[in-house]
Amino acid sequence: MTTKKRLGTVFFYGVAILLAVIALIPFLWMISTSFKSRGALMSIPIEWIPENPTWDAYIKVFSKFPFAKTIANSLFISVSYTAITLLSSAMAAFAFAKLRFTGSRVIFGGYLATMMIPTQVTMIPLFVIMTKLGLKDSYASVIMPSIFRPFAIFLLVQQMRTIPEDLLAAARIDGAGVFQVFRKIALPLCIPSLATLSITTFMESWNDYLWPLLMLGDKDKMTLPIALSTLNGQYGTEYNVLMAGSLVSMVPIIVIYIIAQRQFKSGMMAGGIKG
C-alpha cells in the first residue's frame, strides 16, 4: 500500500470516528441526564458525568403513571402492526413479482404512486372511516392501517424478482400449490428483506405519536410516545425523568436490531436490486 493510500485510509477512518462521536454525544447526554438529581440538572459548571448518580428518575417515571402499561400497549400494537405488514406485503409482493394477471403493472404502479401522498392528507378520511366503523378508542384502529403498506410491497417485490423462475417451476411440477410455493420457497428466500422490513416497521409503529393520539382517547390504551409527552409540563419539565423514560423506550428497538442486524444489512442491499 502506497503512502498516499495509507493517508487516505487514515483520513477516512478519522472522519468516520469523529462523526460517530458527534452522533453519540446526544445519546451520552441523555444517559448522563437520566442519572442526575433534579438539582444537578442546571448546575454550573455542567456536570458531564454526574457527581452523585441516582436512580430516582427511573423510579419516578414508573411511579408517575402506569408506565409499564403503556410499554405493554406499545409492544402489542407494534408487534401486531409489524406482523400484519409482513404478511400482507409479502403476499402482495409475491403476486406482483411472480404471478401473471391482467393489469398487474398498472396496479403496482398505482401502489407506488400512493407513496407520494403525504400521510397528513389521508389522516382525516381515515379517521372518519375508523369512527364510522366504531373502531375509535380501540387497538384495531391503530393496527389496521398496516394492511396497506406500499413501501413494504415495493421492497419485497425487488427481492422476490431475484428468485429464479426455474426454482418455482420445479416446485409446481412436484405438485406444490401457489400458497405452498409462497410459504416454503419465496418467504425463506426473502428473510433478509423481511428482517429489514420488520425492524423499520416496528420502529415506525413504536415511535408513532400522532395517529395513536387521534384514535386512542382511553388512558388505559395510551402508547409510550403519548406517555412521554405528558412528562413535558406547561411551566416546567423534569428533564432527568424525561430522559429516563426516553431511554427505556429505546430498549426494545435496540434489542431487535442487535438480534437481526446481519439480516438487516443483507436486506438493505437486496432492497436496492432492480427487478
Side-chain angles (χ1 to χ4, degrees):
M1 182 181 290
T2 64
T3 303
K4 187 176 181 180
K5 288 185 177 180
R6 287 178 180 175
L7 290 174
T9 302
V10 171
F11 176 77
F12 173 79
Y13 282 104
V15 172
I17 292 171
L18 178 62
L19 292 176
V21 171
I22 293 173
L24 281 173
I25 287 175
F27 181 69
L28 296 176
W29 178 251
M30 286 178 64
I31 297 175
S32 173
T33 304
S34 69
F35 285 103
K36 291 180 181 179
S37 63
R38 188 169 185 179
L41 291 174
M42 301 299 176
S43 62
I44 302 296
I46 297 173
E47 294 182 9
W48 293 97
I49 300 176
E51 294 182 1
N52 299 304
T54 175
W55 291 91
D56 289 347
Y58 290 91
I59 296 172
K60 192 169 184 178
V61 78
F62 280 94
S63 61
K64 200 163 187 177
F65 52 81
F67 200 75
K69 174 65 174 174
T70 63
I71 294 176
N73 292 339
S74 288
L75 275 175
F76 174 74
I77 291 173
S78 298
V79 170
S80 302
Y81 192 97
T82 303
I84 293 174
T85 295
L86 293 178
L87 179 60
S88 61
S89 300
M91 293 176 68
F94 181 74
F96 285 127
K98 294 301 178 183
L99 301 183
R100 300 289 182 265
F101 59 93
T102 305
S104 60
R105 290 187 177 182
V106 176
I107 297 173
F108 184 58
Y111 266 63
L112 297 184
T114 61
M115 293 172 61
M116 295 183 289
I117 302 175
T119 305
Q120 293 79 3
V121 174
T122 60
M123 195 166 288
I124 294 176
L126 190 59
F127 176 84
V128 174
I129 291 172
M130 292 298 177
T131 303
K132 288 187 175 181
L133 290 175
L135 296 177
K136 195 175 182 303
D137 287 336
S138 68
Y139 294 127
S141 62
V142 182
I143 297 171
M144 281 182 65
S146 63
I147 297 174
F148 182 75
R149 300 279 295 164
F151 175 76
I153 296 171
F154 170 74
L155 180 68
L156 294 177
V157 163
Q158 309 312 307
Q159 176 69 42
M160 289 191 179
R161 283 177 175 171
T162 64
I163 300 174
E165 292 289 347
D166 294 341
L167 187 61
L168 303 181
R172 294 189 186 100
I173 291 173
D174 289 339
V178 174
F179 284 99
Q180 287 179 314
V181 172
F182 167 72
R183 181 170 56 88
K184 295 184 178 181
I185 297 178
L187 283 184
L189 293 175
C190 292
I191 287 178
S193 293
L194 290 171
T196 302
L197 183 60
S198 64
I199 293 173
T200 55
T201 304
F202 183 90
M203 187 184 305
E204 179 183 347
S205 178
W206 182 264
N207 293 325
D208 191 14
Y209 171 77
L210 183 56
W211 184 243
L213 179 66
L214 291 175
M215 298 308 302
L216 301 177
D218 189 350
K219 290 186 177 180
D220 290 334
K221 296 177 182 178
M222 181 171 54
T223 59
L224 191 55
I226 301 174
L228 290 175
S229 69
T230 63
L231 296 176
N232 284 316
Q234 184 177 359
Y235 301 105
T237 300
E238 296 182 69
Y239 289 102
N240 54 343
V241 180
L242 181 60
M243 295 304 171
S246 299
L247 285 171
V248 171
S249 71
M250 294 168 61
V251 171
I253 295 175
I254 294 173
V255 170
I256 291 174
Y257 178 77
I258 291 173
I259 294 173
Q261 59 180 326
R262 289 185 180 179
Q263 300 292 346
F264 179 80
K265 294 175 183 177
S266 301
M268 289 299 288
M269 295 174 63
I273 297 175
K274 291 183 179 181

